[in-house]
Amino acid sequence: MGATKWVAYYLHRYLRLTAPYLIAVLIEGFMYRQWVTGPLTFFLEGPDKACRDYWWAGLLYINNLVPWKADEVCVGQTWYLSNDMQFYIIAPVFIVLLFWKPLAGIITSIGVILCSVVTTTVITYHYELGPAGSADLNVDNFWLLYNKPWIRIKAYQVGILGGWIYWKYGQALQDRVKRMPEWKKVLVASPIWVATCAVQWAVVFGLYNDIKKVRLDNLQPSVADSISYGSLARIAWSLSLTIQILLCQSGLGGFINSILSWNGWLVLARLTYSVYLLHLGLMRIVGLMSRHAFYFHPDFELGIWYLGLMMMSYLSAALLYVCVEQPVAFLEALTYRK
């Protein structure tokens, strides 16, 4: 790939993410204070200060590192955008290695995963952290462990390896599956789907009892539990998801692949990034403007909040997409054409 294509590779990603993100920073960091009124608006002081002091860290995609000890992040959920951009920047190293020297690429990728596991283990043990922020008495879990790229890269590397496996062996796998009778496809695919879904269920709900102990009894999970979950959960989730994608792509997805391949998802998929940028801010202001206590029971009330916030998020995202994201993509396409 020539220099021009490398520049386009990075510039496309930066423009694609940054234009809508900048609007989200302006809205959440500098305009919510003008709009939001209510008895709980003092909770906006933390995000406001983060946006005033460190808005530039987000635009440079280092707000998962700067400030190092972050109690608040401007547009709170976008710490992961920085992880994603950092991984995107270094991804060609692994992709090129896998293309030209597959064995070296595999060893390097697995080595990065193992280094991340060791780092997670050491940090968790040294600071006596819980398995996740929601199951930890240590309030520093977020900036010590949760949002750092050397902890998050495990899942990204699994994805890179999964993409290489499909590129290398996907066609052969598809051809082999096509020759299978339907009963054999079901026999082969069913246990794999059950196993991967069971792993994902365990990753999501496996901490339920630990969270209850932390919240109700003020009891920290054991170090062994914290290390095992913190080190392996993201690998387990991403590996299960990669296997499921390979099943769908090879013709073993069955009705699940039919549901996931429905064309109607395309409209929502185009709005996903804008929803990601806006939804948490909308949830915050609705909560802060509330004049009454909010209870998680009965579920009917929670359902109303969920549906209302979902609709608000998608309508706001549609406006951001039409006014910012799509025009920037159109201008970029015109530039590349010239």
Side-chain angles (χ1 to χ4, degrees), residues 135-188:
D136 196 350
L137 295 174
N138 191 335
V139 295
D140 292 331
N141 184 295
F142 175 75
W143 67 270
L144 280 170
L145 196 68
Y146 189 78
N147 73 339
K148 295 299 182 276
W150 42 86
I151 305 302
R152 292 278 169 174
I153 198 170
K154 295 188 284 285
Y156 202 89
Q157 287 299 130
V158 170
I160 287 177
L161 287 172
W164 176 79
I165 290 170
Y166 181 72
W167 171 78
K168 187 78 172 177
Y169 304 106
Q171 189 59 55
L173 189 58
Q174 287 177 357
D175 294 340
R176 186 169 182 177
V177 169
K178 284 178 182 177
R179 294 193 294 269
M180 288 184 181
E182 288 301 316
W183 67 267
K184 192 172 184 180
K185 291 180 184 179
V186 174
L187 190 65
V188 170

Side-chain angles (χ1 to χ4, degrees), residues 26-309:
L26 290 173
I27 292 174
E28 187 164 330
F30 301 98
M31 298 175 70
Y32 275 174
R33 173 64 69 178
Q34 313 303 320
W35 299 341
V36 179
T37 60
L40 301 176
T41 51
F42 64 89
F43 280 111
L44 286 175
E45 292 174 5
D48 281 357
K49 189 176 187 306
C51 286
R52 287 195 305 271
D53 295 345
Y54 295 105
W55 58 269
W56 53 270
L59 298 184
L60 292 176
Y61 294 97
I62 56 172
N63 67 351
N64 58 337
L65 302 172
V66 178
W68 183 260
K69 186 175 181 178
D71 295 320
E72 293 283 356
V73 177
C74 182
V75 191
Q77 68 277 23
T78 58
W79 59 267
Y80 187 76
L81 276 184
S82 295
N83 281 281
D84 190 69
M85 178 64 84
Q86 290 155 14
F87 301 154
Y88 185 83
I89 289 170
I90 65 173
V93 174
F94 304 100
I95 295 171
V96 170
L97 266 178
L98 286 166
F99 182 79
W100 290 109
K101 300 287 184 180
L103 181 60
I106 293 169
I107 292 172
T108 304
S109 295
I110 293 175
V112 170
I113 294 171
L114 292 177
C115 287
S116 180
V117 169
V118 171
T119 304
T120 305
T121 300
V122 171
I123 293 174
T124 301
Y125 179 80
H126 179 74
Y127 291 100
E128 298 182 351
L129 300 176
S134 56
D136 196 350
L137 295 174
N138 191 335
V139 295
D140 292 331
N141 184 295
F142 175 75
W143 67 270
L144 280 170
L145 196 68
Y146 189 78
N147 73 339
K148 295 299 182 276
W150 42 86
I151 305 302
R152 292 278 169 174
I153 198 170
K154 295 188 284 285
Y156 202 89
Q157 287 299 130
V158 170
I160 287 177
L161 287 172
W164 176 79
I165 290 170
Y166 181 72
W167 171 78
K168 187 78 172 177
Y169 304 106
Q171 189 59 55
L173 189 58
Q174 287 177 357
D175 294 340
R176 186 169 182 177
V177 169
K178 284 178 182 177
R179 294 193 294 269
M180 288 184 181
E182 288 301 316
W183 67 267
K184 192 172 184 180
K185 291 180 184 179
V186 174
L187 190 65
V188 170
S190 295
I192 302 176
W193 276 106
V194 170
T196 53
C197 288
V199 169
Q200 290 169 330
W201 185 92
V203 170
V204 174
F205 297 106
L207 292 180
Y208 177 75
N209 289 327
D210 289 324
I211 294 172
K212 281 180 65 177
K213 289 176 182 177
V214 169
R215 300 288 175 86
L216 300 179
D217 303 322
N218 213 36
L219 294 175
Q220 181 89 339
S222 69
V223 175
D225 287 347
S226 298
I227 289 174
S228 59
Y229 185 90
S231 301
L232 302 176
R234 293 183 181 89
I235 297 175
W237 174 270
S238 55
L239 184 60
S240 297
L241 189 60
T242 299
I243 292 171
Q244 291 170 349
I245 292 171
L246 291 174
L247 287 172
C248 288
Q249 290 297 104
S250 63
L252 294 173
F255 73 93
I256 298 175
N257 185 55
S258 299
I259 294 171
L260 296 176
S261 302
W262 178 51
N263 289 333
W265 298 123
L266 291 174
V267 177
L268 297 179
R270 292 183 183 277
L271 301 178
T272 299
Y273 178 54
S274 294
V275 170
Y276 165 77
L277 290 174
L278 299 175
H279 79 283
L280 195 59
L282 288 170
M283 291 170 63
R284 181 181 289 125
I285 63 171
V286 169
L288 296 183
M289 293 177 69
S290 177
R291 261 63 173 184
H292 66 278
F294 176 74
Y295 298 96
F296 287 98
H297 294 288
D299 293 337
F300 179 73
E301 182 180 2
L302 187 61
I304 292 174
W305 276 68
Y306 171 78
L307 293 173
L309 285 166

